Amino acid sequence: MTKKILSVFGTRPEAIKMAPVVLKLAQNEKIESKICVTAQHREMLDSVLDLFQIRPDFDLDLMSPGQDLFDITTKVLNGVGDVIRKAKPDVVLVHGDTTSCFAAALAAFYLDVPVGHVEAGLRTGNMRAPFPEEANRSLVGRLAQYHFAPTKTAEKSLLAENVSPDKIWVTGNTVIDSLLMTREKLGIKKDEYWEDIFGSSLFDAIINSSRKLILITGHRRENFGQGFIDLCTAIKQLALAHSDWDLVYPVHLNPNVQQPVKDTLSGIKNIHLIEPLSYEPFVWLMDQSDLVLTDSGGIQEEAPSLGKPVLVMRDVTERPEALDAGTVRLVGTDTKQIVDNIEQVLLNDKIYNSMSTALNPYGDGKAADRIVDILLTGSFT
Ligand code: UD1
Ligand code: UDP
């Protein structure tokens, strides 16, 4: 008998990390795989769906400009509820910690369908940081029956919350599957391909090895307001003090991010504000960069695998592995902290070299295979 699996996701990072899983599910003849995208993100989601050639069976198309948490939660709960009633899956798979993930898991729980949680067990221990992600993933941890933990640390956190050990599997993080799949394709692309994407002047700056390249991303809700003003001030100070550095910032489409970033950082010659990049050029750009400054979750996992030092604009992280290994540093959003840390890392070869050892504590590229095997052999009743 085939197993019916409904995978639900809605944002760019969930799509990147679920792509290897849904591609494997689709190849398995013992599985009937359906995909529902909430489209909590639209353009940023579609670019990942296009890259991995994923065709959703259901698209809730719910994104609205400047949406709030109530909008997303209620639309996902009702929309995914309807899809589950129609598709009648044996298991609903959700990923990570977005509001799409939480509300989809709640819909499945209300309809008495078992939930499998991919990237389970990440915790900071602080319900307000990151907000609302720590609450989302903790609540999904209560609702789910099957917990696919990326690391032993995540498994430990689930055990500490009394999740039964026989419902936890340490699989590795599927982000490494995606990263390796994508990286493999980059080698065959010629310079002209990247020049076309980035434009010749930015391309020249990116590949100019006598200039340092800092890659920046930021979008966390708890940093909105003063946090963003402070971090943008740091970026501006660094750009003005180091004319031989280039700072490239693909700006997240959230209006709460766009406004402070464009207000503070437009018109500075060595700051390059660009649109969010599709995943392939983003991985290429990470690989070209000297240092990554970010508040992202996924980039904290990817950049260490590429041997790039990462400064994380947060006070706490749910991904302690690379922090413990010394590749990642937490710098918060304080202007001076960011400036001092970046200068220290980029101007001191000894510190730079100690932070840029390639490190891969998050997976071996086979997480999706493991998850699909477990879904086939597990008894989902
Ligand atoms: C969401 C997730 C966050 C995740 C992040 C990844 C929640 C509450 N937040 O935050 O956990 O880390 O995605 O990026 O689940 N927008 C567009 N086009 C897009 C995407 C976003 O225009 O393709 C704009 C829209 O105005 C939208 C706004 O960004 O309303 C915010 O999107 P939303 O998903 O609510 O928040 P994110 O900050 O993206
Ligand atoms: N990413 C991308 N294009 C960009 C910026 C990021 O493809 O312009 C990818 C990045 O490689 C990572 C994911 O998006 O896999 C991270 O997304 P984000 O930072 O928005 O979310 P988080 O991981 O913090 O939830």
Side-chain angles (χ1 to χ4, degrees), residues 12-13 16 219-220 250 276-279 282 286 296-299 302:
R12 169 176 67 191
I16 290 169
H219 69 85
R220 297 247 80 83
L277 289 164
S278 174
Y279 189 53
F282 189 77
M286 255 194 301
S296 163
I299 296 169
E302 292 163 339

Side-chain angles (χ1 to χ4, degrees), residues 160-174:
E161 291 172 9
N162 294 325
V163 175
S164 168
D166 62 346
K167 295 293 181 200
I168 308 172
W169 292 267
V170 179
T171 58
N173 198 312
T174 56

